[in-house]
Amino acid sequence: MNIIIGAGLSGLLTAYRLKKEGIPFKILEARSRIGGRINTVLGESNTPVELGATWFHSQHLHIAALLKELNLNYFGQYMNGTVFYQPVSNEPAQAIQIPEQPPSYRINGGSSNLINTLYQHLDKNDILLDQQVTKVEFNNNSFKVTASKIFEADKVILAIPQKLWSRKISFHPELPKDLLNIATQTHTWMEDSIKVAITYKNDFWTIRDLSGALFSNSGPITELYDHCNANRSKFALCGFMNSSLKYLDKEVRKQEVMKQLEEVYGEQASNYLEYTECIWSNEKNTFEDTGAPIYPHQNNGNPIFRRSFYDGKLLISSSESSPEFPGYMDGAILAGNLTASKIIEATR
């Protein structure tokens, strides 16, 4: 039996590959939902908005291949028309034309469509939610994994961010000091982000030949994009907020955001359907405070994460462990593929 800790993209993909080979596993997920840092929310307006991982690019070949394998479609990020840029807070946003850039893409139905499709290929009894793993013990060539109860395993796959397993899980015997030190100082992508989405009854910006894109040095929103669905029947704007605003009350943040949007887009921006946000540093199963600042992508892709431990029976499979595009969805997919391949080869 293989125990996979984490039901994010890398964990679910590892399970999907093992299932196809008939290799038994259980996934232990601390959250009450699957997906990890991928979280598409519908809300009352039934408009899919991304509060987590959203975009990928043409160089991200692993996600493109997986989407093709699962018969899922994707579409280009809408960027037609004028872009707004706000250099400083006391000056109005400037209408600019940005140079043509390589396109970015979004998954039809939202990023969670990829998660849910993998989930549908698995036996639901093999995915256990609300399972906070606290201890991993290796003895006599096998594991005991402690969550709501003790699970026995031949192999364990760590498919959660490095800071989480290095700080929240007790390993016996202890893992190597160099591994733990690097893991503790590994940046978790999205952990310091605030995603914000505002849904509307129409895309008033495209009618005015605006792209919906806004870049601001001052905030509260620092990046904003058109977030309509693939067939443009649901309408939204979505992006990132200055992370320092997490200390404000939610209603104050909302007021600041709507004030900024009205200044940039006019009164139509205030006629919204829903305001949604996610402060990822408040997500205990994403963020772990280490005191000292950690820089974006710090230690992501470190070669030590591609090693195995406890006689080759403990493997690391999070996005941040990937040798290519660590921290991104593409990295999570490559990590899942590599980890599954190691387990499959070991059984042959």
Side-chain angles (χ1 to χ4, degrees):
M1 174 66 68
N2 298 277
I3 292 291
I4 301 170
I5 301 175
L9 181 51
S10 60
L12 289 172
L13 180 57
T14 300
Y16 170 75
R17 300 289 185 217
L18 297 185
K19 174 87 182 295
K20 292 178 72 173
E21 296 293 328
I23 298 173
F25 63 86
K26 294 287 185 186
I27 299 179
L28 305 182
E29 168 56 51
R31 286 183 168 93
S32 57
R33 65 168 179 85
I34 59 173
R37 286 168 281 172
I38 292 177
N39 188 20
T40 309
V41 175
L42 290 177
E44 294 181 4
S45 66
N46 205 36
T47 302
V49 294
E50 304 288 6
L51 298 185
T54 305
W55 297 277
F56 67 97
H57 303 275
S58 56
Q59 67 265 38
H60 294 156
L61 303 179
H62 301 99
I63 189 169
L66 180 60
L67 292 173
K68 182 178 181 180
E69 177 182 344
L70 298 174
N71 295 313
L72 297 176
N73 296 319
Y74 57 91
F75 62 104
Q77 170 65 47
Y78 184 85
M79 289 295 288
N80 297 342
T82 299
V83 173
F84 284 109
Y85 171 61
Q86 195 171 25
V88 292
S89 59
N90 59 355
E91 291 185 10
Q94 306 169 3
I96 63 172
Q97 295 288 340
I98 60 173
E100 187 170 335
Q101 297 179 339
S104 57
Y105 301 96
R106 291 164 50 201
I107 300 171
N108 283 30
S111 300
S112 288
N113 196 14
L114 172 56
I115 293 295
N116 294 332
T117 301
L118 290 171
Y119 178 71
Q120 289 163 12
H121 283 85
L122 304 176
D123 187 330
K124 309 310 177 285
N125 295 324
D126 290 332
I127 304 171
L128 307 178
L129 302 178
D130 300 306
Q131 297 290 327
Q132 182 72 61
V133 174
T134 58
K135 185 185 295 185
V136 172
E137 301 172 273
F138 182 68
N139 188 35
N140 293 328
N141 213 35
S142 65
F143 291 94
K144 289 184 178 180
V145 179
T146 302
S148 64
K149 65 177 185 179
I150 294 178
F151 299 85
E152 295 187 352
D154 301 310
K155 286 187 174 68
V156 170
I157 298 95
L158 300 174
I160 58 176
Q162 278 78 348
K163 279 206 296 181
L164 295 183
W165 56 254
S166 65
R167 298 283 294 250
K168 292 188 173 184
I169 300 178
S170 173
F171 294 90
H172 302 277
E174 285 192 357
L175 288 170
K177 294 292 185 184
D178 58 343
L179 172 65
L180 290 175
N181 289 339
I182 292 172
T184 302
Q185 296 300 315
T186 295
H187 181 255
T188 301
W189 197 240
M190 291 294 297
E191 69 173 355
D192 40 16
S193 295
I194 303 178
K195 288 292 292 286
V196 59
I198 306 96
T199 62
Y200 293 94
K201 62 182 179 181
N202 60 46
D203 52 340
F204 64 85
W205 52 94
T206 61
I207 298 170
R208 294 161 49 192
D209 196 28
L210 305 176
S211 67
L214 164 67
F215 300 94
S216 174
N217 291 339
S218 57
I221 292 175
T222 55
E223 291 182 46
L224 192 72
Y225 302 93
D226 175 287
H227 205 66
C228 300
N229 59 350
N231 60 8
R232 303 194 72 79
S233 61
K234 298 292 183 178
F235 313 103
L237 296 169
C238 183
F240 296 89
M241 200 184 303
N242 188 316
S243 60
S244 66
L245 298 180
K246 68 181 181 180
Y247 301 107
L248 297 179
D249 180 79
K250 179 179 179 179
E251 191 60 33
V252 175
R253 273 194 307 274
K254 179 180 175 180
Q255 291 173 2
E256 290 296 314
V257 165
M258 299 317 303
K259 177 183 176 183
Q260 182 186 21
L261 293 184
E262 288 172 23
E263 289 174 351
V264 175
Y265 296 106
E267 291 185 4
Q268 286 177 296
S270 63
N271 297 322
Y272 64 93
L273 299 176
E274 290 177 279
Y275 171 95
T276 312
E277 65 176 27
C278 179
I279 302 174
W280 282 96
S281 61
N282 289 343
E283 297 281 324
K284 68 177 183 178
N285 294 307
T286 295
F287 180 78
E288 178 70 12
D289 189 9
T290 52
I294 294 180
Y295 300 106
H297 290 300
Q298 181 172 314
N299 283 320
N300 284 191
N302 193 297
I304 199 170
F305 300 136
R306 296 194 287 278
R307 289 167 49 191
S308 57
F309 302 89
Y310 299 141
D311 298 333
K313 294 180 177 291
L314 180 77
L315 305 174
I316 300 169
S317 184
S318 71
S319 175
E320 282 77 13
S321 72
S322 176
E324 298 176 16
F325 301 108
Y328 296 100
M329 289 190 287
D330 200 67
I333 291 169
L334 177 56
N337 284 336
L338 292 174
T339 300
S341 295
K342 290 179 182 178
I343 295 171
I344 293 167
E345 286 298 321
T347 63
R348 289 176 177 169

